[in-house]
Amino acid sequence: MSEALANDARIAPAAVPLAFNPVPGRDWTRADLDARADQIVRPVPAALNAEIARMLERLRRQGLTLDTVETEDTLLPALAAMAPQLRAELDTGSGVTVLRGLAVDGLSGEDASIVAFAIGNHLGRIMRQGIATDRRIFTVTNTGAETTDPIRIGATAKRSAMHSDNGCLERRAADYLGLLCAENAAAGGESTLVSGQTLYRTIVAERPDLLPHFHRAWHFLPPRLHTWPEGPETIAKPIFDTEDGELHVHYARVMIEPGQKLAGAPLTDAERDAFDWFDALLERDEIVWTYTLEPGDLLLTHNLATLHGRLAFSDDGTKRRVLKRIWMRQRGRGMRDDPALLALDLDRYGSQAL
């Protein structure tokens, strides 16, 4: 890594709070989401499961797969009727919602992936997660001895600390994250979520002296399987930013520490202390919402407004935790869907942004 880049990684902005347009629904605690459980967790109508069953049968007859199915093949009117409310909860509400009761029992892994793709595609544009593999869907499950990359916690049964999904194939992370539970673990694996706006408010109130650490850019090291052959080696971004006038959060300490080292700017003691305090904040019971995903649950979060994690889990001979992960871009927001506009902004988003 060049000396210039390493030096640039040490530039810190002023220690003042960021100016942004707060979204009232995004500043929440555990008690707030518990009180709104009947709005956050939405049972799916029987009509939607019937449409999904017909869709899968039709796709089998036509010989379409996860790699060849397109938007027009997966239209679900019952879901389309729910889409405005789901998007509203993600965009202007808490940033968290759950679809409960999708009929996944007996589905193959391929069919469960198609269901996740179809539902996600009604809410946003599906983003690729890998190049040779995991292009549309990443299966979150314990692969055991096959996992050698320490950043890919999702391929283990370990506790996954709070983080955002950082989409290192693109310069901009996904707007939405979806996790469809196809099978659950024998024990453990509860999902944990926290509001980025609540986190930032707490930092400003309790530790404003740490603001420069959260405003400056950090180097995130991407997983080896999800990295462009031609680079970049790291993705640089701040923990908090205000793109589009809204507060966004990006975090994954497991990616930042090795990323900074690779960039020639390993964490100082002061920086490590700041992250230690932040990690302790992410453990506070009063702000962390915990939810147990059951088979047929689809957890949807605004990936730039919340952090998520999961507790450690264990599988046994009859039960194995399997989630189907989707990443989505918001539709109809700025240049997200228009290649002609994206092409005019390559300096900002990079040549891989299309």
Side-chain angles (χ1 to χ4, degrees):
M1 190 64 63
S2 70
E3 181 180 354
L5 180 56
N7 289 337
D8 181 67
R10 289 292 178 213
I11 298 174
V16 296
L18 296 172
F20 61 91
N21 299 317
V23 179
R26 287 186 188 168
D27 194 338
W28 51 260
T29 64
R30 173 198 290 261
D32 294 329
L33 258 59
D34 283 344
R36 295 188 60 232
D38 59 339
Q39 298 168 286
I40 298 296
V41 181
R42 303 166 186 263
V44 303
L48 176 55
N49 279 325
E51 289 173 1
I52 289 172
R54 290 194 296 269
M55 175 193 73
L56 291 173
E57 179 58 33
R58 184 179 69 254
L59 297 181
R60 294 187 198 106
R61 292 197 310 268
Q62 294 169 338
L64 295 175
T65 67
L66 178 63
D67 286 334
T68 58
V69 71
E70 297 295 345
T71 297
E72 293 77 10
D73 306 314
T74 60
L75 300 180
L76 302 167
L79 179 62
M82 302 175 68
Q85 289 182 323
L86 296 173
R87 287 178 179 156
E89 188 66 53
L90 293 172
D91 294 339
T92 60
S94 65
V96 179
T97 192
V98 178
L99 288 177
R100 164 148 278 187
L102 292 162
V104 299
D105 187 43
L107 292 187
S108 67
E110 170 86 357
D111 282 352
S113 294
I114 290 174
V115 171
F117 169 84
I119 294 175
N121 204 31
H122 281 70
L123 302 176
R125 178 173 64 81
I126 300 293
M127 289 176 59
R128 63 189 164 195
Q129 301 183 52
I131 305 172
T133 62
D134 308 326
R135 190 168 67 87
R136 285 179 160 174
I137 299 289
F138 175 71
T139 300
V140 182
T141 194
N142 179 21
T143 59
E146 300 173 17
T147 303
T148 59
D149 188 343
I151 294 174
R152 299 188 81 208
I153 304 298
T156 74
K158 299 176 182 177
R159 174 182 177 274
S160 179
M162 290 286 197
H163 63 281
S164 57
D165 281 10
N166 291 287
C168 294
L169 288 174
E170 316 291 349
R171 297 306 177 100
R172 297 183 64 259
D175 296 303
Y176 303 148
L177 161 71
L179 293 169
L180 172 63
C181 180
E183 302 177 51
N184 57 0
E190 294 87 349
S191 295
T192 54
L193 297 108
V194 66
S195 160
Q197 203 165 285
T198 302
L199 293 172
Y200 195 74
R201 173 177 55 79
T202 305
I203 296 168
V204 171
E206 297 184 12
R207 292 297 305 270
D209 58 301
L210 298 182
L211 287 175
H213 296 295
F214 299 110
H215 292 172
R216 53 156 284 198
W218 298 92
H219 291 275
F220 287 64
L221 180 68
R224 289 192 293 270
L225 292 178
H226 295 168
T227 305
W228 288 108
E230 297 178 353
E233 292 182 303
T234 65
I235 302 293
K237 52 190 168 183
I239 308 302
F240 291 97
D241 70 34
T242 55
E243 186 180 349
D244 300 332
E246 295 180 2
L247 183 71
H248 293 168
V249 59
H250 317 270
Y251 191 63
R253 187 165 180 179
V254 71
M255 301 171 75
I256 292 173
E257 293 212 46
Q260 286 294 125
K261 185 175 181 181
L262 181 62
L267 296 185
T268 65
D269 288 344
E271 291 164 349
R272 192 170 288 105
D273 288 346
F275 283 133
D276 286 347
W277 182 88
F278 189 60
D279 287 342
L281 173 61
L282 297 176
E283 298 292 327
R284 294 187 188 179
D285 287 342
E286 66 270 20
I287 65 172
V288 176
W289 190 61
T290 301
Y291 183 80
T292 302
L293 286 169
E294 300 290 346
D297 285 351
L298 173 61
L299 171 65
L300 295 161
T301 71
H302 193 306
N303 183 53
L304 302 179
T306 62
L307 298 181
H308 65 280
R310 65 129 196 272
L311 303 184
F313 65 90
S314 60
D315 297 326
D316 61 21
T318 60
K319 302 192 75 175
R320 181 186 182 209
R321 189 176 190 268
V322 178
L323 305 184
K324 300 294 183 176
R325 185 180 74 190
I326 43 177
W327 287 344
M328 295 151 279
R329 281 266 184 266
Q330 287 174 311
R331 297 191 187 277
R333 287 287 301 272
M335 62 182 63
R336 286 172 169 80
D337 282 337
D338 191 337
L341 292 177
L342 281 170
L344 296 176
D345 206 22
L346 289 181
D347 287 343
R348 180 176 184 182
Y349 292 122
S351 60
Q352 308 291 1
L354 301 182

